[in-house]
Amino acid sequence: LNSSFSSVRALWPSMKDNLQRQKLAWQRLHGEPMPAAQARHALMQMMELQTLYFEEESDSPVADPAFWARLAAAAGLSVSEESLASRLGPLEEDVTPLENDDAKHITEEFNERGYTVVSTADAGVAEDLCAAVARGIDAVTAAGLPPVFVLVFDETWLLLSLQLRFLERSRVLGDSGVEIRPDINCWRLRRPLPADEAQEPAVERRPGDNFPERHRDLRYDQCHDPETDAVTALSVWVAVNPSGATAGNGAMRCVPIDRDPLFYCADHPDHMSTGETVRGEPDVLEAPAGRACMWVPSLVHFGGNMRPDTVEEPRMSVAATFLAAPRCGFNGDGVVGDPDAAEGAGPPPVSKADLLRLPLNRRLAHAAKAVLAYSHWYPGLPGIDLCALSSV
């Protein structure tokens, strides 16, 4: 592994803390200490992921453009700055604002429930892009990568651009522009074995598996204007598998505002510790492929598990946080601040203009950040080996 020694030294305390969190999670999950070989594996993967995160040179096949060209060709996809820029043009043709009644209804849903489910583009366009992204997820997982590396393909960014354009047209985040926060992720659930077929199944969580813990993405004061209480950020989640998101295959769950006594209480010590304190019954956000589930980031939510008896295929989904452009400065803790505070701390927010020049190393940085940020949920990082990949 060819990680930069300077960045490894600079990040060694955080990497060490990350590994310790993984060891504790492994102990809780398996009932025994993490084996030394697994700890070494996790550390080596984190070193390589941090190399990608800082957009530094790497000898890993995952950083080789030829690897991605082969993978894209086999899946009928593309990886090209020029191709992405040319395909964005037709998607930007309709920039007229939504009708006032439509925009008002969406805003009311955010204010009253905290979430909405809405079509953000022509159904045919959205469905075609979802099918392409689903092929990309299958391709990267078959090659031995976490699903979030589908961010390398143009089609994933085209799908995200549809959401960005819709938010600009609806003006639910104001009229000064929208950017994509560098907090993009992807999931590909696995069908669990029926109980009578399981022979002491291994307890294992891999990147891309469901995240079923109740949580908020941001505090209330991180996604609302301090003077007007207007929403300044939205989480957007799109199922891309053919059946979309159903109650049985892993649809998103959201606890509406009126069932959350701590929703407005950013200073409450339990505001972000929602697992035990916010037990309100969630709503199930079923949605066909391409239809966007959106919620205020301070809303309690969690991914639904795949049920063994569900006839639909396991859910695959892509999600990102979208921000009103003037509030796009986030420091390492995700707190709104000076945009310059994020310099040297991984990939910056993505604007509509940035989509026109999105090189491979920047796409890889976003994917690496997603794995690193949630690696404690996947202790030992099983199923990943960034230096032993296949593009067949």
Side-chain angles (χ1 to χ4, degrees):
L1 294 170
N2 186 33
S3 296
S4 163
F5 287 112
S6 60
S7 64
V8 169
R9 281 199 301 270
L11 282 172
W12 173 247
S14 61
M15 206 187 315
K16 191 175 180 180
D17 291 344
N18 189 318
L19 183 59
Q20 183 59 33
R21 293 180 71 188
Q22 290 190 45
K23 287 181 176 180
L24 292 173
W26 181 284
Q27 178 78 44
R28 290 192 297 268
L29 195 61
H30 296 269
E32 61 184 21
M34 181 186 290
Q38 192 70 45
R40 285 194 298 272
H41 167 83
L43 183 60
M44 296 299 282
Q45 299 311 307
M46 285 192 293
M47 290 172 64
E48 186 58 39
L49 286 165
Q50 287 190 137
T51 299
L52 299 175
Y53 174 77
F54 284 111
E55 302 182 34
E56 296 171 345
E57 186 175 346
S58 169
D59 291 332
S60 168
V62 78
D64 182 1
F67 169 85
W68 289 105
R70 292 192 297 271
L71 214 59
L77 305 173
S78 60
V79 182
S80 164
E81 289 183 65
E82 294 76 14
S83 173
L84 176 58
S86 65
R87 294 170 71 183
L88 280 169
L91 296 181
E92 294 298 330
E93 289 177 358
D94 183 8
V95 294
T96 57
L98 293 185
E99 294 292 335
N100 286 339
D101 288 346
D102 294 336
K104 182 180 179 181
H105 174 69
I106 293 170
T107 300
E108 287 175 349
E109 292 212 304
F110 288 133
N111 291 335
E112 294 173 7
R113 298 192 302 181
Y115 72 85
T116 191
V117 180
V118 63
S119 293
T120 56
D122 175 81
V125 173
E127 289 172 6
D128 288 347
L129 279 177
C130 285
V133 173
R135 293 198 308 273
I137 293 172
D138 286 338
V140 296
T141 54
L145 287 165
V148 75
F149 277 84
V150 76
L151 287 174
V152 169
F153 298 123
D154 297 345
E155 289 73 11
T156 309
W157 293 100
L158 289 170
L159 182 63
L160 291 171
S161 76
L162 289 181
Q163 319 314 314
L164 188 153
R165 185 190 65 167
F166 175 84
L167 292 175
E168 288 191 333
R169 292 180 60 220
S170 68
R171 298 183 178 177
V172 294
L173 293 177
D175 56 8
S176 59
V178 178
E179 294 185 348
I180 306 172
R181 183 188 179 198
D183 182 21
I184 311 166
N185 219 323
C186 177
W187 297 267
R188 182 181 191 264
L189 274 55
R190 295 180 287 169
R191 188 180 296 277
L193 288 174
D196 58 355
E197 294 182 15
Q199 299 294 324
E200 297 185 3
V203 179
E204 181 179 84
R205 290 198 299 243
R206 297 186 175 193
D209 285 352
N210 186 38
F211 188 74
E213 302 293 328
R214 293 181 179 225
H215 65 284
R216 307 183 201 272
D217 292 331
L218 294 172
R219 294 194 315 267
Y220 180 89
D221 59 347
Q222 292 175 316
C223 52
H224 291 81
D225 187 278
E227 296 180 359
T228 66
D229 276 339
V231 174
T232 57
L234 286 171
S235 298
V236 181
W237 184 97
V238 181
V240 300
N241 55 294
S243 298
T246 69
N249 79 348
M252 180 57 61
R253 272 70 170 168
C254 288
V255 179
I257 293 173
D258 62 2
R259 299 175 207 161
D260 178 1
L262 300 181
F263 178 78
Y264 299 100
C265 306
D267 294 332
H268 194 285
D270 294 329
H271 180 66
M272 296 299 287
S273 302
T274 57
E276 297 299 327
T277 55
V278 180
R279 306 306 299 173
E281 185 68 20
D283 289 346
V284 180
L285 277 57
E286 293 190 299
R291 196 170 172 88
C293 301
M294 301 183 179
W295 61 87
V296 179
S298 53
L299 196 72
V300 173
H301 62 283
F302 58 98
N305 286 318
M306 175 76 189
R307 294 202 298 252
D309 59 347
T310 300
V311 297
E312 299 94 1
E313 72 282 348
R315 177 255 295 172
M316 293 190 283
S317 55
V318 177
T321 303
F322 291 78
L323 308 157
R327 296 179 62 85
C328 285
F330 279 73
N331 65 21
D333 297 323
V335 180
V336 176
D338 188 325
D340 293 333
E343 185 177 355
V350 180
S351 69
K352 189 159 57 176
D354 293 328
L355 290 170
L356 299 174
R357 51 180 189 280
L358 205 61
L360 175 61
N361 61 338
R362 181 60 51 82
R363 304 180 193 202
L364 289 169
H366 283 286
K369 182 182 187 298
V371 180
L372 285 169
Y374 299 99
S375 56
H376 59 283
W377 180 249
Y378 312 108
L381 294 179
I384 306 176
D385 190 344
L386 294 176
C387 283
L389 301 174
S390 169
S391 59
V392 179

